[in-house]
């Protein structure tokens, strides 16, 4: 069991990672620091690194503050509509980030609906908002990633022992004083952990900086790596991209290390026991304004951009004043009847999703079984190999795959085929499949399998007849958790696709880059519907525990 699994992980994770390192430290097969010296010697590298850190830090500050405030309002106040807002505020995270960027572009772009309205009402010749560049990227990243802090802090608040706040109130502290002196310090580690997650997601994001940064020539590390790989006229472009990727890994690694440092051994008595209900802060006269404020926030961050891209997809001519005479379904009919590549992209994405989900579940069963049922030495290494491709930025994973499979390996050609995308998807999303399967295995006592083995069943037979039927819901959840991200994935696909092997995310991105705004908007709506339907299906199959 361990040998085949080890071989697969070595081929899909270790080998590409080693090739990436080798490419960064060599030229013409000879060890040299030339790639790093060239990259670090360019002023543009430091500018791009500064851009990445700037937009990520600002997005973290805004997204972290918004997520924390919203979590407190939903969990610890008598906010009207708390139950509805609790789930609805997660909506931005259901939309793929590059689709979210297109939605904000339709709303606040140079000819977006807000700027059209402003120019029509004021008579101004210049738009009110400029979405391209740093400001637009920060806005989109913050509003896409705030649910990471929101859900982290919300979970911490719901786990908190109410006796801690009850003691403060019994001592005469006012509700606001209790919230400031007791509640906030207790959830500080969760706030920090959520903020680190926002930073990690922001610094690794490709779609948002690509769509909102390219027109303004505003590059961050992910888009700079992409541009370097595609600069075939530049000598040693792959080596330079590999060197740049180490800067990205360093930034992401620093954030992950900070996250682990923040949560290590810092529960602060948060475990909720059998005490009374959680303390609720009465908002009094501020209750209705707070409800309106949260509803407005939801409207601006979720409803407005989605509505904008939907209306854009139904528009005859982009930039014309909105009216019934400018609405049509022609963009959808053109999309599916005049562009056969769209059907091919949808087919490729669905096939890749189904295959990557299936392979990930098969491997996930083996990984989880080794983790939960054996005393195999090196289990920690196995866990690291599974988590590594998911932990590092997707741009780095894609570059590692390109460098590893640029030439045939053992006589097998993967580069410029759909199989290299499949390998990347399996490596990237395997950790998502392992998580629910491992959790389910740890809840099943080994005595059930031992009884089957003592009756003469082989290991494979006991797995098939005893273990797998018991963890069937986890297998389904693991399959969907690994398959759904593959349907709308862009960061890996945009670097690995070839003609005939396009994915739906690549099609949306390419159409937008080609200026086919109406068609890209129509396809983006289709992608959003797929993402939302997939999430609902995960929750339905997993009893409401999976999905968002």
């Amino acid at each position: 069991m361990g040998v085949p699994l080890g071989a697969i992980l070595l081929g899909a994770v270790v080998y590409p990672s080693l090739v990436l390192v080798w490419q960064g430290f060599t030229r013409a097969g000879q060890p040299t620091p030339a790639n790093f010296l060239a990259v670090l010697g360019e002023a543009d590298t430091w500018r791009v690194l500064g851009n990445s850190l700037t937009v990520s830090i600002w997005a973290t500050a805004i997204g972290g503050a918004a997520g924390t405030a919203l979590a407190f309002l939903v969990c610890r106040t008598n906010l009207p509509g708390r139950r509805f807002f609790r789930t609805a505020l997660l909506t931005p995270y259901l939309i793929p980030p590059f689709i979210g960027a297109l939605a904000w572009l339709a709303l606040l772009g140079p000819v977006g609906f807000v700027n059209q309205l402003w120019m029509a009402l004021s008579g101004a010749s210049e738009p009110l908002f400029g979405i391209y560049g740093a400001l637009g990227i920060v806005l989109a990243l913050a509003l896409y990633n705030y649910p990471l802090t929101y859900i982290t802090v919300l979970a911490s608040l719901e786990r908190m022992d109410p006796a801690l706040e009850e003691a403060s109130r019994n001592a005469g502290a006012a509700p606001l004083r209790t919230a400031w002196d007791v509640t906030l310090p207790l959830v500080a580690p969760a706030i920090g952990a959520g903020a680190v997650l926002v930073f990690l997601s922001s610094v690794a994001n490709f779609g948002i900086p690509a769509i909102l940064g390219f027109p303004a020539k505003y590059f961050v590390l992910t888009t700079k790596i992409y541009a370097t790989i595609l600069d075939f006229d530049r000598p040693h472009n792959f080596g330079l991209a590999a060197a740049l990727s180490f800067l990205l890994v360093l930034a992401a690694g620093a954030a992950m290390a900070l996250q682990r440092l923040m949560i290590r051994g810092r529960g602060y008595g948060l475990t909720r026991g059998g005490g009374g209900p959680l303390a609720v802060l009465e908002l009094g006269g501020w209750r209705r304004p707070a409800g309106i404020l949260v509803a407005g926030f939801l409207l601006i961050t979720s409803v407005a951009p989605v509505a904008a891209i939907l209306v854009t997809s139904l528009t005859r001519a982009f930039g014309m004043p909105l009216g019934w005479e400018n609405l049509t379904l022609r963009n959808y009919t053109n999309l599916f009847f005049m562009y056969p590549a769209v059907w091919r992209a949808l087919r490729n994405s669905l096939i890749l999703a189904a295959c990557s989900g299936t392979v990930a579940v098969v491997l996930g069963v083996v990984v989880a079984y080794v983790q939960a049922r054996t005393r195999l030495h090196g289990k920690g290494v196995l866990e690291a190999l599974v988590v590594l491709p998911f932990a590092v930025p997707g741009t780095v994973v894609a570059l590692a795959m390109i460098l590893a499979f640029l030439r045939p390996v053992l006589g097998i050609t993967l580069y410029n085929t759909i199989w290299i995308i499949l390998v990347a998807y399996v490596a990237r999303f395997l950790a998502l499949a392992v998580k629910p399967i491992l959790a389910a295995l740890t809840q099943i006592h080994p005595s059930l399998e031992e009884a089957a083995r003592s009756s003469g069943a082989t290991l494979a037979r006991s797995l098939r007849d005893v273990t797998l039927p018991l963890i069937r819901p986890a297998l389904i959840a693991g399959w969907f958790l690994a398959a759904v991200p593959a349907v709308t994935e862009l960061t890996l696909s945009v670097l690995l696709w070839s003609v005939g092997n396009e994915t739906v995310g690549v099609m949306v991105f390419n159409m937008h880059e080609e200026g086919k705004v109406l068609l890209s908007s129509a396809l983006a709506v289709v992608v959003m519907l797929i993402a939302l339907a997939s999430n609902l299906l995960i929750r339905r199959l997993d009893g409401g525990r999976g999905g968002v």
Side-chain angles (χ1 to χ4, degrees):
M1 179 183 293
V3 174
L5 174 63
I8 293 172
L9 291 177
L10 284 173
V13 179
V14 177
Y15 173 65
S17 300
L18 292 177
V19 172
L20 176 66
V21 175
W22 174 259
Q23 188 76 32
F25 284 95
T26 62
R27 280 189 178 180
Q30 299 299 317
T32 175
N35 293 322
F36 286 92
L37 293 176
V39 164
L40 297 178
E42 292 182 1
D44 188 59
T45 298
W46 299 104
R47 179 177 61 83
V48 168
L49 177 61
N51 290 346
S52 283
L53 295 177
T54 298
V55 297
S56 298
I57 290 172
W58 274 107
T60 300
I62 297 171
T68 301
L70 290 168
F72 185 83
L73 284 171
V74 167
C75 185
R76 291 308 184 86
T77 72
N78 63 335
L79 182 77
R82 290 167 58 191
R83 183 174 298 180
F84 167 76
F85 286 130
R86 189 187 189 284
T87 301
L89 288 169
L90 292 168
T91 303
Y93 203 64
L94 300 179
I95 303 171
F98 69 99
I99 300 295
L102 289 176
W104 280 105
L105 193 59
L107 187 66
L108 298 178
V111 290
F113 295 112
V114 171
N115 282 325
Q116 281 190 53
L117 182 63
W118 161 256
M119 289 187 287
L121 294 177
S122 67
S125 58
E126 294 295 327
L128 178 64
F129 294 102
I131 194 69
Y132 293 121
L135 183 60
I137 294 172
V138 168
L139 172 69
L141 286 174
L143 296 181
Y144 171 72
N145 286 317
Y146 83 79
L148 292 171
T149 303
Y150 168 75
I151 197 64
T152 304
V153 176
L154 187 65
S156 179
L157 286 169
E158 290 178 340
R159 290 198 311 268
M160 186 179 295
D161 189 344
L164 301 171
E165 293 164 305
E166 185 66 28
S168 174
R169 292 197 301 272
N170 290 338
L176 278 176
R177 181 68 180 270
T178 298
W180 182 260
D181 290 346
V182 178
T183 309
L184 188 61
L186 286 172
V187 297
I191 296 172
V196 170
L197 288 176
V198 174
F199 177 85
L200 189 64
S201 179
S202 298
V203 80
N205 193 285
F206 169 80
I208 291 175
I211 290 172
L212 299 181
F214 280 168
K217 294 182 172 55
Y218 189 92
F219 289 87
V220 295
L221 278 172
T222 51
T223 54
K224 178 66 175 179
I225 292 170
Y226 172 79
T228 303
I229 292 172
L230 297 185
D231 189 3
F232 296 109
D233 294 329
R234 187 175 187 182
H236 314 294
N237 62 319
F238 282 141
L240 295 173
L244 282 169
S245 72
F246 286 113
L247 294 178
L248 191 57
V249 171
L250 184 63
M256 291 169 61
L258 183 60
Q259 180 193 5
R260 287 194 297 269
L261 186 64
M262 285 180 171
I263 64 176
R264 181 181 298 169
R266 301 188 67 180
Y268 288 96
L270 288 177
T271 302
R272 182 169 164 80
L278 292 172
V280 173
L281 178 64
E282 296 291 335
L283 295 175
W286 290 98
R287 184 172 184 266
R288 181 169 294 179
I292 295 174
L293 182 65
V294 175
F297 180 85
L298 184 63
L299 179 68
I300 293 172
T301 60
S302 301
V303 178
V306 170
I309 198 169
L310 176 60
V311 173
T312 300
S313 72
L314 297 171
T315 303
R316 292 182 184 275
F318 186 56
M320 287 183 61
L322 186 62
W324 289 109
E325 68 282 356
N326 195 31
L327 296 180
T328 180
L329 291 173
R330 186 181 303 168
N331 298 320
Y332 288 92
T333 57
N334 289 344
L335 184 70
F336 289 108
F337 291 102
M338 296 182 62
Y339 291 87
V342 171
W343 289 107
R344 186 170 64 237
L346 284 169
R347 181 198 65 199
N348 289 341
S349 289
L350 292 175
I351 290 174
L352 285 167
C355 292
S356 61
T358 302
V359 175
V361 164
V362 172
L363 292 177
V365 169
V366 179
V367 171
Y369 191 88
V370 170
Q371 292 285 333
R373 294 289 193 265
T374 71
R375 297 180 180 178
L376 186 69
H377 292 295
K379 288 198 296 185
V381 175
L382 178 64
E383 182 182 5
L385 291 179
V386 170
V387 173
L388 179 63
F390 188 72
V392 301
T395 307
V396 178
V397 176
L399 177 59
M401 294 294 168
I402 293 173
L403 296 175
F405 302 115
L406 189 60
R407 296 178 179 83
V409 179
L410 300 177
I412 301 174
T413 300
L414 293 180
Y415 188 67
N416 273 341
T417 71
I418 200 169
W419 304 113
I420 191 173
I421 304 178
L422 178 60
V423 172
Y425 282 3
V426 171
R428 179 76 168 167
F429 303 126
L430 176 58
L432 297 178
V434 170
K435 184 177 179 181
I437 297 172
L438 180 59
L441 273 178
T442 56
Q443 294 174 343
I444 297 174
H445 199 278
S447 61
L448 298 174
E449 298 164 23
E450 292 168 1
R453 297 293 299 276
S454 63
S455 299
T458 62
L459 174 60
R461 182 70 180 271
S462 66
L463 270 174
R464 188 189 70 186
D465 294 346
V466 178
T467 308
L468 295 183
L470 290 173
I471 63 170
R472 182 175 175 272
L475 297 178
I476 295 173
W479 189 91
F480 274 93
L481 286 172
V484 169
V487 177
T488 59
E489 201 283 328
L490 175 66
T491 306
L492 297 173
S493 308
V494 77
L495 290 172
L496 299 176
W497 75 280
S498 54
V499 177
N501 299 313
E502 306 92 339
T503 65
V504 67
V506 169
M507 283 297 299
V508 175
F509 182 75
N510 286 347
M511 283 183 169
H512 174 75
E513 290 297 291
E514 293 168 7
K516 300 173 182 176
V517 178
L518 300 180
L519 291 174
S520 66
S521 297
L523 188 53
V525 171
V526 174
V527 173
M528 281 194 294
L529 291 175
I530 292 174
L532 293 172
S534 301
N535 184 76
L536 291 174
L537 189 56
I538 291 176
R539 292 181 61 84
R540 183 77 175 268
L541 292 172
D542 198 29
R545 294 185 298 273
V548 175

